[in-house]
Amino acid sequence: MALNGFLEFFQKGKTFRPKKRFTAGTIRYSLHKQAQASLQSGINLRQAVCLPEGENLNDWIAVHVVDFFNRINLIYGTVSEYCSEITCPTMSGGSRYEYLWADSENYKKPTSLPAPKYIELLMDWAEAQINNETVFPVSTDVPFPKTFPTLCRKILTRLFRVFVHVYIHHFDRIVSIGAEAHVNACYKHFFYFVKEFDLITTKELEPLQEMSSKICKD
Protein backbone atom coordinates (compact mmCIF):
# COMPACT_ATOMS: atom_id res chain seq x y z
CA MET A 1 0.00 0.00 0.00
CA ALA A 2 1.32 3.46 -0.85
CA LEU A 3 1.67 5.89 2.06
CA ASN A 4 -0.08 8.74 0.28
CA GLY A 5 -2.40 10.48 2.72
CA PHE A 6 -0.70 9.03 5.79
CA LEU A 7 -0.08 12.36 7.51
CA GLU A 8 -3.51 13.70 6.65
CA PHE A 9 -5.12 10.56 8.06
CA PHE A 10 -3.42 10.86 11.44
CA GLN A 11 -3.43 14.63 11.82
CA LYS A 12 -7.20 14.96 12.03
CA GLY A 13 -7.96 16.05 15.57
CA LYS A 14 -4.69 14.82 17.01
CA THR A 15 -2.54 16.71 19.48
CA PHE A 16 0.71 15.08 18.39
CA ARG A 17 1.97 16.93 15.32
CA PRO A 18 5.06 16.52 13.16
CA LYS A 19 7.59 18.93 14.63
CA LYS A 20 10.35 18.90 12.05
CA ARG A 21 10.24 19.83 8.38
CA PHE A 22 12.83 20.31 5.67
CA THR A 23 13.72 23.70 4.23
CA ALA A 24 12.65 24.07 0.60
CA GLY A 25 15.56 24.29 -1.81
CA THR A 26 17.95 22.17 0.26
CA ILE A 27 19.40 18.82 -0.78
CA ARG A 28 17.64 17.13 2.11
CA TYR A 29 14.30 18.61 1.02
CA SER A 30 14.88 17.21 -2.46
CA LEU A 31 15.75 13.78 -1.05
CA HIS A 32 12.65 13.89 1.14
CA LYS A 33 10.47 14.65 -1.89
CA GLN A 34 12.21 11.91 -3.87
CA ALA A 35 11.58 9.39 -1.09
CA GLN A 36 7.92 10.43 -0.77
CA ALA A 37 7.41 10.19 -4.53
CA SER A 38 8.74 6.62 -4.49
CA LEU A 39 6.39 5.66 -1.67
CA GLN A 40 3.36 7.26 -3.29
CA SER A 41 4.04 5.62 -6.62
CA GLY A 42 3.44 2.24 -5.01
CA ILE A 43 7.03 1.11 -5.53
CA ASN A 44 8.16 -1.96 -3.60
CA LEU A 45 9.21 -0.79 -0.13
CA ARG A 46 12.41 -2.82 -0.24
CA GLN A 47 13.42 -0.82 -3.31
CA ALA A 48 12.18 2.49 -1.90
CA VAL A 49 14.64 2.44 1.01
CA CYS A 50 17.74 1.85 -1.13
CA LEU A 51 20.23 4.71 -1.36
CA PRO A 52 19.71 6.58 -4.65
CA GLU A 53 22.71 6.46 -6.93
CA GLY A 54 25.17 9.27 -6.28
CA GLU A 55 23.56 10.43 -3.03
CA ASN A 56 25.23 10.78 0.35
CA LEU A 57 24.33 8.03 2.84
CA ASN A 58 24.22 10.36 5.84
CA ASP A 59 21.81 12.69 4.02
CA TRP A 60 19.58 9.73 3.17
CA ILE A 61 19.61 8.48 6.76
CA ALA A 62 18.93 11.98 8.12
CA VAL A 63 15.87 12.36 5.88
CA HIS A 64 14.44 9.06 7.05
CA VAL A 65 15.16 9.60 10.74
CA VAL A 66 13.17 12.86 10.61
CA ASP A 67 10.37 11.23 8.62
CA PHE A 68 10.10 8.27 10.98
CA PHE A 69 10.15 10.58 14.00
CA ASN A 70 7.20 12.51 12.54
CA ARG A 71 5.20 9.42 11.63
CA ILE A 72 5.75 7.52 14.88
CA ASN A 73 4.92 10.68 16.80
CA LEU A 74 1.57 10.76 14.98
CA ILE A 75 0.92 7.05 15.44
CA TYR A 76 1.42 7.32 19.19
CA GLY A 77 -0.87 10.35 19.18
CA THR A 78 -3.75 8.14 18.07
CA VAL A 79 -3.43 5.94 21.17
CA SER A 80 -1.99 8.38 23.72
CA GLU A 81 -5.32 8.98 25.48
CA TYR A 82 -5.48 5.23 26.18
CA CYS A 83 -1.88 5.08 27.38
CA SER A 84 -1.69 6.29 30.98
CA GLU A 85 0.29 5.62 34.13
CA ILE A 86 -2.59 3.37 35.22
CA THR A 87 -3.02 1.34 32.01
CA CYS A 88 0.71 1.27 31.19
CA PRO A 89 2.74 1.61 34.44
CA THR A 90 5.89 0.47 32.63
CA MET A 91 7.31 1.01 29.13
CA SER A 92 6.88 -2.55 28.04
CA GLY A 93 6.26 -4.80 25.11
CA GLY A 94 4.35 -7.61 26.75
CA SER A 95 5.62 -9.50 29.79
CA ARG A 96 9.04 -10.31 28.31
CA TYR A 97 10.28 -6.83 27.50
CA GLU A 98 10.59 -3.69 29.61
CA TYR A 99 12.53 -0.61 28.51
CA LEU A 100 14.33 1.55 31.06
CA TRP A 101 15.00 5.22 30.41
CA ALA A 102 18.42 6.86 30.79
CA ASP A 103 19.72 10.27 29.75
CA SER A 104 22.53 12.64 30.65
CA GLU A 105 20.36 14.96 32.74
CA ASN A 106 17.65 13.61 35.03
CA TYR A 107 17.97 9.84 34.64
CA LYS A 108 21.65 8.97 34.72
CA LYS A 109 20.86 5.41 35.78
CA PRO A 110 18.42 3.27 33.75
CA THR A 111 15.02 3.89 35.34
CA SER A 112 11.64 2.19 35.05
CA LEU A 113 9.00 4.72 33.99
CA PRO A 114 5.33 4.62 32.97
CA ALA A 115 5.00 4.28 29.20
CA PRO A 116 3.60 7.78 28.56
CA LYS A 117 6.43 9.39 30.53
CA TYR A 118 9.04 7.26 28.76
CA ILE A 119 7.64 8.14 25.34
CA GLU A 120 7.36 11.83 26.21
CA LEU A 121 11.04 11.88 27.22
CA LEU A 122 11.97 9.85 24.14
CA MET A 123 10.21 12.23 21.74
CA ASP A 124 11.62 15.33 23.45
CA TRP A 125 15.12 13.85 23.33
CA ALA A 126 14.83 12.78 19.68
CA GLU A 127 13.45 16.16 18.68
CA ALA A 128 16.35 17.91 20.43
CA GLN A 129 18.86 15.78 18.49
CA ILE A 130 17.13 16.42 15.17
CA ASN A 131 16.94 20.18 15.79
CA ASN A 132 20.60 20.40 16.81
CA GLU A 133 22.29 21.72 13.65
CA THR A 134 25.73 20.57 14.80
CA VAL A 135 24.37 17.01 14.76
CA PHE A 136 21.86 17.28 11.90
CA PRO A 137 23.45 20.04 9.77
CA VAL A 138 21.06 21.90 7.50
CA SER A 139 23.75 23.00 5.04
CA THR A 140 25.94 20.79 2.88
CA ASP A 141 28.81 23.12 3.81
CA VAL A 142 28.68 21.70 7.34
CA PRO A 143 29.86 18.08 7.57
CA PHE A 144 28.05 15.45 9.58
CA PRO A 145 29.84 14.65 12.86
CA LYS A 146 31.63 11.32 13.13
CA THR A 147 29.13 10.33 15.80
CA PHE A 148 26.16 10.77 13.43
CA PRO A 149 25.65 7.08 12.48
CA THR A 150 25.84 6.00 16.14
CA LEU A 151 23.33 8.66 17.17
CA CYS A 152 20.91 7.68 14.40
CA ARG A 153 21.08 4.05 15.52
CA LYS A 154 20.15 5.18 19.03
CA ILE A 155 17.27 7.37 17.81
CA LEU A 156 15.84 4.62 15.60
CA THR A 157 16.25 1.97 18.29
CA ARG A 158 14.29 4.10 20.73
CA LEU A 159 11.61 4.93 18.15
CA PHE A 160 11.24 1.21 17.45
CA ARG A 161 10.28 0.73 21.09
CA VAL A 162 7.23 2.94 20.49
CA PHE A 163 6.17 0.56 17.72
CA VAL A 164 6.63 -2.34 20.15
CA HIS A 165 4.46 -0.72 22.81
CA VAL A 166 1.75 0.37 20.38
CA TYR A 167 1.54 -2.99 18.61
CA ILE A 168 1.50 -5.10 21.78
CA HIS A 169 -0.59 -2.90 24.09
CA HIS A 170 -2.71 -0.60 21.93
CA PHE A 171 -3.24 -2.24 18.56
CA ASP A 172 -6.94 -2.73 19.30
CA ARG A 173 -7.28 1.06 19.26
CA ILE A 174 -5.43 1.27 15.91
CA VAL A 175 -7.81 -1.32 14.44
CA SER A 176 -10.89 0.39 15.88
CA ILE A 177 -10.16 3.65 14.03
CA GLY A 178 -9.34 1.87 10.78
CA ALA A 179 -5.64 2.74 10.86
CA GLU A 180 -4.20 -0.77 10.80
CA ALA A 181 -3.11 -0.64 7.14
CA HIS A 182 -1.46 2.77 7.63
CA VAL A 183 0.47 1.68 10.72
CA ASN A 184 1.53 -1.60 9.12
CA ALA A 185 2.77 0.24 6.02
CA CYS A 186 4.75 2.66 8.17
CA TYR A 187 6.22 -0.19 10.16
CA LYS A 188 7.23 -2.08 7.02
CA HIS A 189 8.93 1.03 5.65
CA PHE A 190 10.78 1.48 8.95
CA PHE A 191 11.74 -2.20 9.17
CA TYR A 192 13.10 -2.39 5.62
CA PHE A 193 15.09 0.80 6.13
CA VAL A 194 16.80 -0.24 9.36
CA LYS A 195 17.53 -3.69 7.92
CA GLU A 196 18.94 -2.24 4.69
CA PHE A 197 21.49 -0.12 6.58
CA ASP A 198 21.92 -2.34 9.67
CA LEU A 199 20.72 0.40 12.03
CA ILE A 200 19.03 -1.70 14.74
CA THR A 201 20.40 -4.90 16.22
CA THR A 202 18.62 -8.22 15.78
CA LYS A 203 18.19 -8.44 19.55
CA GLU A 204 16.36 -5.10 19.67
CA LEU A 205 14.04 -6.24 16.86
CA GLU A 206 13.08 -9.44 18.70
CA PRO A 207 9.83 -8.22 20.33
CA LEU A 208 8.14 -7.87 16.92
CA GLN A 209 10.06 -10.64 15.16
CA GLU A 210 7.04 -12.88 14.63
CA MET A 211 4.93 -10.05 13.24
CA SER A 212 7.78 -8.79 11.06
CA SER A 213 8.21 -12.21 9.50
CA LYS A 214 4.53 -12.19 8.52
CA ILE A 215 3.98 -8.67 7.20
CA CYS A 216 7.46 -7.83 5.85
CA LYS A 217 7.56 -10.32 3.01
CA ASP A 218 7.22 -8.28 -0.17
Side-chain angles (χ1 to χ4, degrees):
M1 187 195 79
L3 297 184
N4 191 20
F6 181 95
L7 295 180
E8 291 79 0
F9 181 90
F10 282 110
Q11 281 177 324
K12 294 176 182 177
K14 304 306 172 189
T15 55
F16 276 66
R17 295 283 192 252
K19 300 178 181 179
K20 179 70 176 180
R21 289 178 171 80
F22 301 98
T23 303
T26 63
I27 287 179
R28 222 150 296 150
Y29 179 82
S30 298
L31 282 174
H32 172 69
K33 288 299 183 184
Q34 182 176 342
Q36 294 306 303
S38 293
L39 291 173
Q40 292 170 7
S41 70
I43 191 173
N44 182 289
L45 285 172
R46 285 189 190 274
Q47 298 173 349
V49 301
C50 294
L51 179 67
E53 186 175 352
E55 298 296 350
N56 178 276
L57 176 58
N58 282 340
D59 277 321
W60 190 238
I61 291 176
V63 163
H64 283 80
V65 168
V66 173
D67 190 44
F68 290 135
F69 167 77
N70 286 340
R71 292 175 188 275
I72 293 169
N73 210 354
L74 285 168
I75 288 171
Y76 182 67
T78 67
V79 303
S80 59
E81 63 184 296
Y82 300 91
C83 183
S84 69
E85 294 187 6
I86 296 174
T87 62
C88 304
T90 61
M91 178 59 181
S92 61
S95 59
R96 292 180 57 194
Y97 303 95
E98 180 182 354
Y99 300 116
L100 306 180
W101 181 258
D103 56 39
S104 59
E105 297 176 0
N106 300 316
Y107 299 93
K108 296 185 178 180
K109 292 183 179 180
T111 304
S112 178
L113 295 172
K117 181 63 176 178
Y118 183 106
I119 294 172
E120 177 188 2
L121 290 170
L122 187 165
M123 293 302 184
D124 287 347
W125 170 81
E127 183 184 14
Q129 308 311 308
I130 289 169
N131 288 335
N132 183 344
E133 294 183 8
T134 64
V135 179
F136 276 72
V138 295
S139 169
T140 54
D141 297 333
V142 180
F144 285 93
K146 292 181 180 179
T147 56
F148 182 75
T150 300
L151 175 63
C152 287
R153 285 186 174 90
K154 189 171 184 179
I155 293 173
L156 292 168
T157 295
R158 285 180 163 180
L159 288 175
F160 175 75
R161 295 170 181 177
V162 181
F163 270 128
V164 173
H165 186 72
V166 168
Y167 266 115
I168 293 177
H169 294 282
H170 301 293
F171 199 61
D172 56 339
R173 166 62 180 167
I174 297 294
V175 172
S176 73
I177 63 173
E180 181 178 0
H182 292 272
V183 175
N184 284 349
C186 183
Y187 177 76
K188 288 170 68 174
H189 185 202
F190 181 94
F191 180 82
Y192 287 141
F193 186 80
V194 300
K195 292 290 284 184
E196 173 72 15
F197 300 106
D198 193 24
L199 294 169
I200 298 182
T201 66
T202 301
K203 184 176 181 180
E204 278 284 347
L205 293 171
E206 273 182 9
L208 297 181
Q209 181 178 5
E210 183 177 351
M211 185 194 75
S212 300
S213 67
K214 291 179 180 178
I215 72 171
C216 300
K217 294 178 179 180
D218 57 357

